[in-house]
Amino acid sequence: GWGAAREVAAAVSEAVGHLCAGADAHVGAVACRGAANAQGDHSLDLALRACLEDADLAVRAQAAIAVARRVRLAQFDAENSRVDRYDNNFANKPNEQSEDIGILAAETLWQCIVSQVSLLAECSGWYRKQALRRLNRWVQHLAGMIPLGNPQLSALLAFMPARVGLRFVAYHGDPAHLPYVLTHMTELETARYAGWVWQAVTGVDLV
């Protein structure tokens, strides 16, 4: 019944919350990643928000992604007048508060990406490959968290490696960044990928 479902959700929430706040950064990052889709009470959201200030870069980034996703789900439920069957207190918070938390998550992930770009420049070989994989995933998530028209995005795109920046534009979908794409369509190393991004954003086939 619903009572048993609540008990299971509470147990999962408590376990994930403990893992998020654990001493092992690798476990904490994985727990935050899993918490994005976990049914849980307000304590899980509090644990994730605490992780936004964690000393480890990956934990902060994964917590930001998880917080943003849970905020979107809560707002979706509120907008559609749905009652969360697990009685998630976070989903019942005012929309204004949820928006503030979402902004904090986006800002946290943004700073993590800036740090990761700097780390990428110092890596080589296998470590660079893993750092780039992580950066690409974070950029993909940030693209969906930032509202269209953010005036600071041009500076972020200029700071990131070209192909990472193009990936952001593809997932963000703001035509305002097409001049950035067009610039990279003239460069040999990025021309094909930039052309694909142009098609993805505009819907116009270049062939």
Side-chain angles (χ1 to χ4, degrees):
W2 293 123
R6 288 194 189 93
E7 291 179 3
V8 171
V12 171
S13 173
E14 182 179 3
V16 173
H18 283 311
L19 291 174
C20 288
D24 190 300
H26 296 290
V27 173
V30 171
C32 287
R33 192 170 182 177
N37 297 311
Q39 294 283 1
D41 58 19
H42 192 44
S43 63
L44 179 56
D45 297 297
L46 292 177
L48 285 171
R49 272 178 257 171
C51 288
L52 293 176
E53 301 178 2
D54 195 271
D56 185 79
L57 182 64
V59 172
R60 294 198 304 275
Q62 290 301 152
I65 293 168
V67 167
R69 179 172 178 79
R70 291 173 70 81
V71 164
R72 288 195 299 271
L73 291 174
Q75 291 173 337
F76 177 82
D77 286 340
E79 291 170 359
N80 289 274
S81 300
R82 295 183 178 180
V83 178
D84 190 281
R85 63 183 180 183
Y86 292 102
D87 196 21
N88 188 335
N89 291 328
F90 184 75
N92 297 322
K93 296 295 179 181
N95 285 340
E96 183 177 346
Q97 182 178 355
S98 295
E99 290 176 2
D100 290 342
I101 297 169
I103 292 172
L104 176 61
E107 291 175 346
T108 300
L109 185 56
W110 187 308
Q111 292 304 318
C112 289
I113 286 173
V114 170
S115 298
Q116 187 69 7
V117 170
S118 299
L119 288 174
L120 180 66
E122 302 172 359
C123 296
S124 61
W126 183 88
Y127 295 100
R128 178 177 176 81
K129 181 179 180 180
Q130 297 306 312
L132 181 60
R133 178 185 60 81
R134 176 178 287 178
L135 177 62
N136 277 324
R137 182 160 49 82
W138 292 356
V139 162
Q140 177 179 329
H141 283 285
L142 183 67
M145 294 163 63
I146 301 295
L148 300 182
N150 187 300
Q152 299 178 10
L153 278 179
S154 295
L156 179 63
L157 290 174
F159 179 71
M160 293 190 293
R163 293 184 68 86
V164 177
L166 289 168
R167 183 182 183 87
F168 178 92
V169 173
Y171 279 92
H172 190 55
D174 190 347
H177 300 297
L178 288 177
Y180 172 86
V181 178
L182 185 60
T183 297
H184 290 291
M185 287 172 64
T186 64
E187 299 174 359
L188 182 62
E189 292 184 355
T190 56
R192 293 184 63 183
Y193 188 39
W196 178 84
V197 172
W198 177 284
Q199 292 183 181
V201 173
T202 66
V204 178
D205 194 342
L206 294 178
V207 178

